[in-house]
Amino acid sequence: MSTKAIAGVFRTLETPDLRVLTGIELALGSHAYPPIEDIRKYANLPLDEVRFRLNLLQKKGLLRRVSPDMIGYEGYSLNYSGYDCLALNALVKAGAVDALGNSLGIGKESDVYEGLRGKRRVTLKFHRLGRISFRQTRRTRGFVASRSHTSWIYQSRLAAEREFQTLKLVHGYRVSVPLPIAHNRHVVVMGLIQGLELNDVGTIDAPEIVLNNILLNIRKAYVRAKIVHGDLSEFNVMVRKNGKVLIIDWPQSIRANHPNATDILRRDVEHVLKFFKRKFKTEYPIEQTLAYVMGQLQQPQAAA
Ligand SMILES: Nc1ncnc2c1ncn2[C@@H]1O[C@H](COP(=O)(O)OP(=O)(O)O)[C@@H](O)[C@H]1O
Ligand SMILES: [Mg+2]
């Protein structure tokens, strides 16, 4: 189901529906496919009501029913759509979001939507791990097969948690990132950036100013917040019309004291330098630039 469609279904849900979904979520802590009895216990509703709601929720596409010939009894599990509804419900209740709008981007491992918080436009990033391309699936087939569906949902929650915590940390050190607003389950709510992915920017009057700005933010993250982004490229830098850059997509960031931090920092910087060389013919030497972002040089030096 598309995230947009989920917003429509979400509006039709009543309190007992959400209690049954929550009941499944809680029962999943001790059961891969909780039976109706366990769900009833957590939902704290009469059995008939739970049965009725489970049927309804299944018709709406918000859960998975596993038949007795698969597991010996009738069991239930959440899918991403059901999990989306639980997260949206919590975010609405917390006053973090009031409405879901248009798609801003379908990433490798996320769906990103515009939303409203009061009159303010915000961004909702739904983490969706496990949605892997065919080539990657082949390469890591053993890994994928050993992972249950609920485990991917859990991994997505961890990714969202990590991303939100990192956004808050680096934002506190004035690294240019979207404003972190709220987080629930696998969803992060942050400020909306009105701009383009660096990759989609056609021409830039002074590319070295934009590049210096990106490098300054890598430096602030490393020197002040002690964080390395870890997936930096022209796809994870947004540029506003006025040339201001913002760095997005932080779930895989690592601490600067991680044993591989310097290698990963080098890779991040190389991705950015290669892009500017290819697209804007702006060329910086890697070693000096690396020293600059690590705080060992005062200026990112342009080659002669
Ligand atoms: N705060 C934001 N404001 C506007 N657009 C965003 C924002 N965050 C993400 N996007 C858009 O969604 C795309 C995917 O988001 P990203 O965080 O990079 O996730 P992924 O891990 O899926 O690449 C981005 O490339 C960008 O186009
Ligand atoms: Mg990205």
Side-chain angles (χ1 to χ4, degrees):
M1 208 189 309
S2 75
T3 311
K4 189 90 191 222
I6 289 156
V9 173
F10 173 68
R11 278 193 287 274
T12 70
L13 297 183
E14 298 172 320
T15 307
D17 296 319
L18 289 159
R19 277 175 71 169
V20 168
L21 285 176
T22 309
I24 300 174
E25 183 185 35
L26 292 170
L28 278 168
S30 50
H31 238 298
Y33 298 104
I36 188 163
E37 253 312 312
D38 287 28
I39 298 165
R40 190 201 64 76
K41 223 167 47 199
Y42 286 109
N44 199 16
L45 291 167
L47 195 60
D48 282 355
E49 174 87 25
V50 174
R51 196 164 276 134
F52 170 73
R53 297 291 166 179
L54 284 170
N55 279 328
L56 208 65
L57 290 166
Q58 195 196 11
K59 284 201 191 103
K60 293 184 178 183
L62 300 184
L63 51 76
R64 293 204 328 164
R65 196 201 307 254
V66 185
S67 67
D69 39 297
M70 302 266 303
I71 51 173
Y73 63 92
E74 191 162 87
Y76 293 85
S77 180
L78 286 177
N79 57 23
Y80 267 118
S81 305
Y83 205 50
D84 288 353
C85 288
L86 286 175
L88 283 173
N89 184 52
L91 289 167
V92 169
K93 273 192 173 160
V97 181
D98 296 302
L100 198 66
N102 293 326
S103 170
L104 290 172
I106 308 287
K108 312 183 290 286
E109 301 195 310
S110 75
D111 287 343
V112 179
Y113 273 74
E114 185 177 331
L116 277 181
R117 181 185 193 217
K119 285 182 183 159
R120 196 155 134 225
R121 293 162 78 190
V122 295
T123 297
L124 283 85
K125 179 172 176 182
F126 294 76
H127 283 259
R128 303 229 189 273
L129 295 180
R131 189 173 64 182
I132 292 181
S133 79
F134 177 64
R135 210 175 71 239
Q136 282 170 308
T137 310
R138 264 208 329 211
R139 182 157 52 75
T140 56
R141 187 156 25 186
F143 179 65
V144 170
S146 69
R147 293 255 155 176
S148 77
H149 181 76
T150 39
S151 165
W152 283 121
I153 286 182
Y154 175 70
Q155 296 297 323
S156 296
R157 193 186 94 197
L158 290 184
E161 265 166 27
R162 270 200 304 269
E163 175 154 47
F164 187 63
Q165 293 309 331
T166 307
L167 277 176
K168 279 205 302 193
L169 177 73
V170 299
H171 186 263
Y173 284 101
R174 298 179 181 274
V175 180
S176 180
V177 295
L179 177 75
I181 296 172
H183 149 255
N184 188 270
R185 295 181 174 82
H186 60 319
V187 181
V188 176
V189 185
M190 59 189 138
L192 177 87
I193 303 167
Q194 284 175 289
L196 288 175
E197 282 176 25
L198 176 58
N199 183 56
D200 295 330
V201 174
T203 54
I204 302 182
D205 290 342
E208 60 284 353
I209 292 178
V210 174
L211 176 54
N212 285 350
N213 215 326
I214 296 169
L215 296 173
L216 176 63
N217 281 291
I218 301 176
R219 177 182 164 112
K220 280 186 189 172
Y222 186 83
V223 175
R224 296 190 192 170
K226 311 227 175 329
I227 288 288
V228 176
H229 184 285
D231 189 23
L232 211 57
S233 72
E234 59 275 24
F235 302 100
N236 286 332
V237 175
M238 306 272 301
V239 186
R240 281 205 197 129
K241 265 210 192 84
N242 63 8
K244 183 184 160 106
V245 302
L246 293 101
I247 306 200
I248 61 166
D249 203 359
W250 292 82
Q252 66 298 303
S253 63
I254 58 162
R255 315 264 347 180
N257 63 5
H258 186 281
N260 298 335
T262 328
D263 291 343
I264 292 170
L265 181 67
R266 177 185 286 270
R267 200 185 58 194
D268 277 358
V269 172
E270 275 173 358
H271 284 160
V272 173
L273 293 189
K274 272 186 191 150
F275 176 78
F276 273 85
K277 182 178 169 191
R278 191 179 75 234
K279 182 127 178 204
F280 301 115
K281 310 284 177 267
T282 301
E283 196 172 349
Y284 282 16
I286 177 69
E287 296 307 329
Q288 281 98 312
T289 309
L290 197 61
Y292 167 72
V293 298
M294 292 178 82
Q296 297 155 0
L297 278 181
Q298 289 314 307
Q299 296 289 326
Q301 296 178 16

